[in-house]
Amino acid sequence: MSERTAPRTGPLRARAEIDLAALRANVRALRAHAPGAALMAVVKSEAYGHGAVPCARAAVAAGADWLGTATPEEALALRAAGLPGRIMCWLWTPGGPWREAIEADLDVSVGGMWALAEVTEAARLAGRPARVQLKADTGLGRGGCQPGDDWAELVREALRAEAEGLLRVTGLWSHFACADEPGHPSIAAQLGRFREMVAYAEEQGARPEVRHIANSPATLTLPESHFDLVRTGIATYGISPSPELGTPADFGLRPVMTLSASLALVKQVPGGHGVSYGHRYVTPGDTTLGLVPLGYADGIPRHASSAGPVLVEGKWRTIAGRVAMDQFVVDLGGDEPAPGAEAVLFGPGDRGEPTAEDWAQAAGTIAYEIVTRIGTRVPRVYVNEEQDG
């Protein structure tokens, strides 16, 4: 995905408008939810589909103390684009670019002995210490080191490497499994286990700069989990991490992405006319159909066939029939907007348009997936790029 703002000299087939003023306001709102902690803006997966470099710059301008990515390649791309400051990456596989990460002053996550061995060897080759954050598996069951003997070994060997000048243990961290489900018993269990694992590491001599476990939902609802740093992903982009927790507005957030397209065709058809593959939709009477030039190749979920909502000339329409690779159809009910009229798939909702959460409900998924899957064929158009005030 290009950082370059898409040209706006003529109508686009489709566009994802990214409101950087909204993103900056979201960062400030999230800092207010965790005033005693530093804030990491997570910009993995092209900033959840919004564009990593422009969003990272906006987040830093609004006061984000750290940037976070999943893969080291994502973090290295931020450095190559000139992003300064602290950047952490956590999804490593054997043979990853450890030396490049060390030389780029990245903080790297280590959750097992194989990774510790590789990063210390890379530090020897680089001739400089690595910045390492030890990850604890407190109950999510994905990455990270298990409590007990495994954690003891990782801490012991990391501190030995630190004593040799090969690394600096800059952080101790973990990740919640169910922070988006209020009252889930795993939340308290993980929090207690994290405290125990941090206490053990510190008793052995670890002196981390930051301890962190809070993701977006925990940042918004679990102040006891904030520790030294909170990691905000989806909330940075103005989307609630769970409808059960509240709407974006409930947390002072505003959705950043608006996805729209220009109608490619409007035509009259008789009743009984089949629409799209499989004729899962048949017109109930004489009507008009509008062709929206977006499909599952652009990230529109096929599971939203016959369900996804679209705003056309102030009225909600629903996808008629199946979503195809490059296009889908809406039944306009006899209205006749001109070809090129705007069809808004989702946005903040200010104009009565659907939101990403509406699409998530229609597709049986979560709003994270709706925005993240919008493909590179859809230009990102950045607005409000200048810093407020």
Side-chain angles (χ1 to χ4, degrees), residues 61-218:
D65 307 282
W66 290 67
L67 297 171
T69 71
T71 71
E73 291 80 9
E74 291 173 323
L76 290 167
L78 295 178
R79 278 284 190 254
L83 269 299
R86 301 300 286 273
I87 303 176
M88 180 182 173
C89 52
W90 47 79
L91 188 57
W92 288 85
T93 53
W98 297 104
R99 181 170 179 174
E100 293 90 334
I102 293 167
E103 292 174 343
D105 290 323
L106 303 179
D107 281 63
V108 302
S109 176
V110 167
M113 292 304 299
W114 75 262
L116 184 63
E118 290 200 3
V119 75
T120 53
E121 178 60 24
R124 285 191 182 94
L125 295 172
R128 58 190 294 183
R131 289 210 292 253
V132 169
Q133 301 212 14
L134 303 182
K135 185 174 186 182
D137 181 1
T138 56
L140 179 58
R142 295 192 322 193
C145 191
Q146 287 288 290
D149 292 345
D150 289 348
W151 182 246
E153 181 186 22
L154 184 68
V155 169
R156 181 180 66 249
E157 295 306 317
L159 293 176
R160 180 178 298 173
E162 186 172 59
E164 295 175 13
L166 294 171
L167 61 84
R168 169 81 177 93
V169 177
T170 59
L172 303 171
W173 75 294
S174 190
H175 194 55
F176 280 117
C178 303
D180 57 346
E181 299 179 42
H184 195 284
S186 71
I187 297 172
Q190 281 196 258
L191 197 53
R193 195 167 295 120
F194 183 61
R195 290 194 177 103
E196 292 170 359
M197 295 174 79
V198 166
Y200 175 83
E202 293 179 340
E203 287 166 3
Q204 301 305 304
R207 296 293 179 266
E209 298 173 35
V210 288
R211 301 158 299 162
H212 51 108
I213 190 173
N215 53 5
S216 283

Side-chain angles (χ1 to χ4, degrees), residues 311-343:
L311 184 75
V312 181
E313 293 198 327
K315 296 181 182 179
W316 270 41
R317 306 296 186 182
T318 302
I319 293 176
R322 284 180 173 162
V323 175
M325 184 178 290
D326 312 299
Q327 54 202 287
F328 65 81
V329 176
V330 291
D331 189 333
L332 298 169
D335 291 346
E336 297 189 27
E342 184 181 49

Side-chain angles (χ1 to χ4, degrees), residues 11 36 59 90 117-118 133 142 166-167 192 201 207-208 231 254 264 275 296 310 334 336 346 351 365 372:
W90 47 79
E118 290 200 3
Q133 301 212 14
R142 295 192 322 193
L166 294 171
L167 61 84
R207 296 293 179 266
R231 306 185 307 269
R254 178 178 173 79
V275 177
Y296 58 77
V310 183
E336 297 189 27
F346 60 80
R351 296 182 290 162
T365 185
T372 303

